[in-house]
């Protein structure tokens, strides 16, 4: 078996050790004579799996006791609807637009209820920076303030300093306004102060596990506000009261996510991962910035993402060639999102430093040949 | 590796050949250097997987061209909401109650819009029969007529003759009224005339594949009627227009379902499976009925399910002992649903005849020891 250098944006690379264990246990989990996806979700085996996954996630993210952890379906896209269905309670919500995903969230919220555009950083169709959080016109009476803390397509990330600035700005201008964040593409990439948020959600298929699983971390006081007519399954309160098993959960995806959580713990947890992730990203940005303009990343240096690094080459023909030759050289997933073109390398936890080094060598060779 | 005799109601047994292939391909699918759950859902590898799964399902069920096949998330429980959100269009819908699942569907539809109870077969808290379809008071102006064609908990199935009677009754009394069926627990157990239905849905975790995947087969003229405010992801029209990829689909579950479809085709398709399934069920019902009253199944013989066979023993203590001793003897999943108690054996496609024979031997021995 040969593993490619996988830089996919999601679904994305999973740790090889996790895949090997899942493969070995696929038709006989812990000697029970069946795979974990072949047994009742209410039985002892799976109940243990989901409880352990939750406990490990709570440990990794230091999730306080007054937060519920929900294992849901529908991806972050369904959260774009589920958040306003559950939290608006007849009010308006504030939306900050910093890229394609926060844009989608805003559009969906406006379909469900009242959503207000607080600010957008779009300039000529591009999203390259974060706003000055201190000067945002927060609505003190809003149901919540929504943002996407890592824009996968545009490569814009809210780093820890900016997160603190945002939190301080809200605390000053609109105390108590719940912060709601789509963290799909950088959750678990670094330590997180969950207490700053009312609700955090993330599709699993980037830094958590297989697609088909969405994790929601929600403060208990925000439960029980769902609008009348909300489908039973989409009411956070119902799912919280039923330990995410109002109906059959996506059992295999939860099991694999649990293995990923153990893999992260064995590697020293999120502080250790953050150091590795920062260094991986630093190496790649240095290669881009040091390429004499052959490779370019246009994002404001202060909010360049450590997870998703888009870059361009001189012309679309050369970019197409880069993709094609990279695939021939054993790389996967380097083509940029169709909406923005170019190249994109996603450096999630399971993308090891040696994969980045291999990419840097390939980029050097490609530039030498075509620069 | 020892495989148990797995009679779980869902998540349920999968074919061993499918699990073995999935295990072998988990970290390197067809030599691409990554597992199928690690690559973009829009790339060549997964696009091929989902297209092939759809083509095989269309072949197995002879799905006509004017029906869309959707691969969704949320389980049948979300369909209980999604069906009325998409099909009511301001009208009322007719619901037939023949067990716990149609009851849930009715309750959820009434939360979303107007639902009318056409008939219920409940007697003293039990569901043991089907109604006389010819005498049902169909609403000619209803948006659709909803039923569950196999009640997993109560073991009541609409067999082919009854299906024909229902179809003829609707054609006579309310021509054009779309028939909507929850077929979660018996889809793919026998051939099906899809043209009789407006919409068919099924959670995967019984007879299709892993949990976290729901299949919807919907006639094209029923698309595009979703109520305003329906979340984008829950609008069948959107999913149909985007080939079930409005967002990232549950890729691994779809891949495994595709392997199951190939497994079914290799075994001669649904006519062959139906013959095997009928014989498996006949053997078990014969053992129950021939046990001198030790084992009892109370369901009307005409609508006893071939997939889910609940039965009782003399007293709850003996039932608990049966469950415990069966587990010690290498059986899984024989405990009845908590809402009805007793024992339940689910005989999905992947439960082979030899598993049923093993169960019959165990039942004989248990009766000899405790009868």
């Amino acid at each position: 078996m040969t593993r490619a250098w996988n830089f996919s944006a999601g679904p994305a690379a999973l740790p090889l050790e996790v895949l090997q264990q899942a493969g070995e246990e696929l038709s006989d989990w812990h000697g029970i004579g069946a795979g974990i996806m072949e047994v009742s979700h209410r039985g002892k085996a799976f109940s243990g799996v989901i409880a352990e996954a939750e406990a490990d996630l709570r440990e990794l993210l230091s999730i306080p006791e007054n937060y519920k952890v929900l294992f849901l379906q529908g991806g972050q896209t369904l959260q774009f609807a589920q958040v306003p269905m559950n939290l608006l309670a007849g009010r308006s919500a504030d939306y900050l637009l910093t890229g394609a995903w926060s844009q989608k969230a805003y559009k969906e919220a406006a379909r469900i209820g009242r959503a207000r555009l607080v600010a957008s950083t779009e300039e000529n169709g591009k999203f390259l920076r974060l706003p000055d959080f201190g000067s945002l016109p927060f609505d003190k009476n809003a149901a919540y303030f929504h943002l996407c803390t890592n824009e996968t397509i545009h490569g814009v990330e809210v780093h820890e300093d900016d997160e603190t600035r945002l939190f301080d700005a809200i605390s000053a201008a609109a105390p108590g306004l719940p912060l709601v964040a789509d963290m799909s593409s950088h959750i678990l990439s670094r330590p997180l102060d969950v207490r700053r948020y009312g609700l955090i959600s993330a599709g699993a298929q980037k830094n958590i596990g297989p697609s088909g699983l969405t994790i929601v971390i929600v403060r208990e006081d925000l439960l029980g506000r769902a609008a009348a007519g909300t489908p039973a399954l989409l009411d956070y309160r119902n799912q919280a009261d039923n330990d995410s098993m109002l109906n059959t959960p996506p059992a295999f995806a939860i099991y694999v996510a649990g293995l990923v959580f153990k893999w992260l713990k064995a590697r020293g947890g999120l502080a250790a991962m953050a150091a590795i992730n920062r260094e991986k990203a630093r190496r790649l940005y240095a290669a881009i910035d040091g390429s004499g303009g052959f490779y370019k990343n246009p994002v404001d240096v202060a909010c360049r993402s450590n997870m998703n690094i888009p870059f361009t080459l001189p012309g679309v023909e050369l970019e197409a060639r880069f993709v094609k030759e990279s695939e021939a050289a054993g790389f996967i997933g380097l083509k940029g999102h169709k909406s923005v073109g170019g190249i994109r390398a996603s450096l999630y936890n399971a993308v090891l430093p040696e994969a980045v080094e291999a990419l840097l060598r390939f980029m050097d060779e490609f530039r030498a040949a075509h620069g």
Side-chain angles (χ1 to χ4, degrees), chain A:
Chain A
M1 186 202 64
T2 312
R3 292 274 287 172
W5 303 118
N6 188 354
F7 291 90
S8 295
L14 289 164
L16 182 57
E17 298 87 344
V18 165
L19 293 170
Q20 284 169 335
Q21 184 175 345
E24 283 162 17
E25 299 179 345
L26 209 58
S27 55
D28 187 15
W29 180 85
H30 294 205
I32 63 171
I36 199 69
M37 62 179 164
E38 298 181 283
V39 293
S40 171
H41 51 296
R42 305 201 188 276
K44 207 169 79 175
F46 185 74
S47 300
V49 164
I50 192 170
E52 218 169 297
E54 179 177 339
D56 286 335
L57 183 64
R58 283 185 176 274
E59 186 181 329
L60 283 166
L61 287 169
S62 305
I63 301 174
E65 288 212 348
N66 63 324
Y67 285 74
K68 292 285 187 184
V69 173
L70 307 178
F71 294 90
L72 306 178
Q73 296 187 55
Q76 182 59 40
T77 300
L78 191 52
Q79 289 310 308
F80 293 159
Q82 216 170 328
V83 162
M85 288 169 112
N86 277 273
L87 302 188
L88 275 183
R91 290 190 283 170
S92 167
D94 275 3
Y95 277 74
L96 172 66
L97 271 54
T98 55
W101 292 104
S102 44
Q103 224 168 13
K104 279 180 196 247
Y106 172 59
K107 194 175 158 194
E108 187 70 0
R111 177 204 303 275
I112 307 294
R114 277 189 300 147
R116 187 181 73 115
L117 177 62
V118 177
S120 169
T121 59
E122 185 177 354
E123 283 172 38
N124 307 317
K126 291 182 180 171
F127 292 91
L128 305 174
R129 59 182 186 83
L130 289 175
D132 171 12
F133 292 122
S135 67
L136 291 180
F138 298 104
D139 174 3
K140 272 193 285 197
N141 299 312
Y144 56 86
F145 178 92
H146 184 281
L147 82 163
C148 174
T149 49
N150 186 64
E151 288 282 358
T152 323
I153 294 175
H154 296 91
V156 173
E157 180 170 7
V158 179
H159 289 296
E160 280 159 306
D161 286 355
D162 278 319
E163 191 196 28
T164 300
R165 273 181 215 109
L166 169 62
F167 181 72
D168 290 347
I170 288 189
S171 298
L177 178 61
L179 202 46
V180 171
D182 165 11
M183 296 193 180
S184 294
S185 52
H186 78 154
I187 194 167
L188 298 179
S189 70
R190 69 177 200 222
L192 173 66
D193 188 352
V194 171
R195 291 169 303 175
R196 289 177 166 177
Y197 295 87
L199 186 146
I200 292 163
S201 63
Q205 69 273 13
K206 293 152 192 302
N207 228 356
I208 294 174
S211 63
L213 168 65
T214 317
I215 288 182
V216 170
I217 302 165
V218 55
R219 216 173 57 211
E220 282 176 352
D221 63 284
L222 295 174
L223 299 172
R225 304 180 179 190
T230 298
L233 194 76
L234 303 187
D235 183 334
Y236 294 136
R237 168 92 269 164
N238 279 341
Q239 288 285 23
D241 288 349
N242 288 280
D243 295 326
S244 306
M245 296 209 272
L246 192 68
N247 70 340
T248 314
F252 183 74
I254 292 170
Y255 154 75
V256 174
L259 296 182
V260 170
F261 300 156
K262 290 209 182 297
W263 183 85
L264 289 171
K265 282 174 66 181
R267 262 143 203 84
L270 302 190
M273 294 314 300
I276 297 168
N277 286 327
R278 272 194 302 267
E279 178 60 12
K280 278 153 50 185
R282 192 195 65 74
R283 292 277 295 149
L284 181 48
Y285 283 118
I288 291 167
D289 295 342
S291 70
F294 185 75
Y295 300 115
K296 280 184 187 164
N297 170 288
V299 177
D300 179 359
V301 172
C303 59
R304 281 175 162 183
S305 172
N306 284 339
M307 289 288 104
N308 309 98
I309 303 185
F311 56 93
T312 57
L313 275 71
V316 289
E317 280 175 29
L318 214 48
E319 286 169 349
R321 189 156 186 171
F322 182 95
V323 171
K324 199 175 165 189
E325 290 188 15
S326 73
E327 287 171 358
F331 293 86
I332 287 181
L334 285 167
K335 193 174 176 181
H337 191 272
K338 61 184 178 190
S339 65
V340 294
I343 309 296
R344 174 175 53 176
S346 295
L347 310 185
Y348 303 125
N349 289 331
V351 178
L352 303 179
E354 48 261 45
V356 177
E357 296 307 315
L359 175 59
L360 298 183
R361 284 194 301 275
F362 175 79
M363 287 170 68
D364 270 354
E365 288 161 18
F366 190 87
R367 178 161 68 101
H370 303 286

